[in-house]
Amino acid sequence: MRQTLVAGNWKMNGSREGNRRLLDGIKAGISEGVNAEVVVCPPAIYIPQAARRLNESGIAWGGQDLSQHESGAYTGEISAAMLWDYQCKYVIIGHSERRSLHAETDAQVAEKFIAAQKTGLTPILCIGELLTEREAGETEAVVARQLDAVIDAAGIEAIAGCVIAYEPVWAIGTGKTASPQQAQDVHAFIRQRVAAQNVDVAEKVRILYGGSVKPDNAAELFAKADIDGGLIGGASLDAEGFLAICRAV
Ligand code: PGA
């Protein structure tokens, strides 16, 4: 049985004082017990704060992005080893905002994936289609292309050690959630695509849904056979809301 993962993607939100309340609120709620693995991904500058406050809480923390390079003249970038230095367990890779706002290509995403795993980090690999692609009936082709770029570069076994997040771009931050069945259909497609190469890996890999997950829709999404948790943006910025999603497992 795959353990459900609930991951909070804070994006470029928060402040030192606000994070203190948010982290302590999540920590207090989780200590009452939830049936999921929980991870928060703050902006990089706040990772040391998360590491300090979440130490021995059972909650993991991670980065929102990393450089594919190990070190060197890459101003503004953060390496896998730097995330590892602050005990990050996870790192989000290929988020649609990185792909669209920073022109990250499938090939770069694959390089980042490899850099993360080489250091011991677990990649949360984001894939998902634009609204125009869904309307053109290209959803499966798009997620297959994004997934295959990583499988071809890293090998199918590497997928066992990652988390996949299906995030339809039209549902991110829009309040328009994919219906549980729409999400399940794509999750099943992703799992079958992995299974075509390795059945064991397909059974093990966790596939999260992301895109306007809220306390009132989480339970129905998480109940689907191939949905193993969620990548939560906006709703992870409020301790009570995030905890309600964690409890929906
Ligand atoms: P959202 O973001 O929950 O605010 O839609 C999800 C994400 O971008 O990971």
Side-chain angles (χ1 to χ4, degrees), residues 8 10 13-31 38-43 45-55 57-62 236-240 242-243:
W10 294 6
N13 292 295
S15 64
R16 206 154 80 159
E17 180 53 28
N19 298 347
R20 191 184 57 71
R21 285 193 299 271
L22 181 53
L23 290 166
D24 290 354
I26 296 170
K27 193 160 88 170
I30 297 289
S31 68
V38 177
V39 50
V40 294
C41 299
I45 196 165
Y46 296 124
I47 287 173
Q49 182 188 27
R52 234 179 9 256
R53 299 205 89 86
L54 297 179
N55 187 30
S57 66
I59 302 167
W61 53 93
S236 71
L237 297 170
D238 164 62
E240 273 321 305
F242 187 57
L243 286 165

Side-chain angles (χ1 to χ4, degrees), residues 11-245:
K11 311 192 178 188
M12 198 177 76
N13 292 295
S15 64
R16 206 154 80 159
E17 180 53 28
N19 298 347
R20 191 184 57 71
R21 285 193 299 271
L22 181 53
L23 290 166
D24 290 354
I26 296 170
K27 193 160 88 170
I30 297 289
S31 68
E32 292 160 20
V34 292
N35 212 0
E37 186 181 355
V38 177
V39 50
V40 294
C41 299
I45 196 165
Y46 296 124
I47 287 173
Q49 182 188 27
R52 234 179 9 256
R53 299 205 89 86
L54 297 179
N55 187 30
E56 296 190 359
S57 66
I59 302 167
W61 53 93
Q64 296 179 8
D65 179 41
L66 85 173
S67 169
Q68 65 270 42
H69 304 290
E70 277 182 24
S71 65
Y74 303 103
T75 301
E77 297 288 320
I78 291 176
S79 71
M82 292 171 189
L83 295 175
W84 187 254
D85 236 357
Y86 281 90
Q87 299 87 42
C88 285
K89 185 168 175 198
Y90 291 94
V91 59
I92 299 171
I93 293 181
H95 190 278
S96 69
E97 287 148 22
R98 300 292 319 172
R99 292 179 191 261
S100 65
L101 303 173
H102 301 268
E104 279 186 20
T105 62
D106 290 340
Q108 254 174 309
V109 169
E111 284 180 53
K112 289 183 178 207
F113 183 101
I114 291 169
Q117 281 198 332
K118 203 168 142 193
T119 308
L121 296 162
T122 300
I124 300 176
L125 170 67
C126 299
I127 57 178
E129 82 287 2
L130 304 170
L131 183 58
T132 48
E133 292 167 334
R134 174 162 282 263
E135 286 172 349
E138 292 165 2
T139 299
E140 292 188 352
V142 171
V143 299
R145 189 201 74 226
Q146 293 173 336
L147 181 63
D148 289 355
V150 173
I151 295 176
D152 292 348
I156 190 68
E157 279 76 22
I159 299 299
C162 87
V163 174
I164 297 170
Y166 168 59
E167 297 208 307
V169 181
W170 48 273
I172 295 177
T174 58
K176 274 191 223 150
T177 324
S179 71
Q181 194 54 47
Q182 276 176 322
Q184 164 60 25
D185 288 348
V186 181
H187 281 231
F189 170 78
I190 294 167
R191 204 179 298 284
Q192 279 156 17
R193 194 153 186 100
V194 175
Q197 294 194 43
N198 188 314
V199 175
D200 284 348
V201 172
E203 274 168 15
K204 271 187 213 133
V205 68
R206 287 183 289 184
I207 309 177
L208 312 185
Y209 169 77
S212 299
V213 178
K214 301 275 179 310
D216 60 2
N217 60 23
E220 220 192 326
L221 284 160
F222 296 168
K224 291 290 179 192
D226 289 295
I227 302 183
D228 306 314
L231 180 55
I232 323 296
S236 71
L237 297 170
D238 164 62
E240 273 321 305
F242 187 57
L243 286 165
I245 292 170

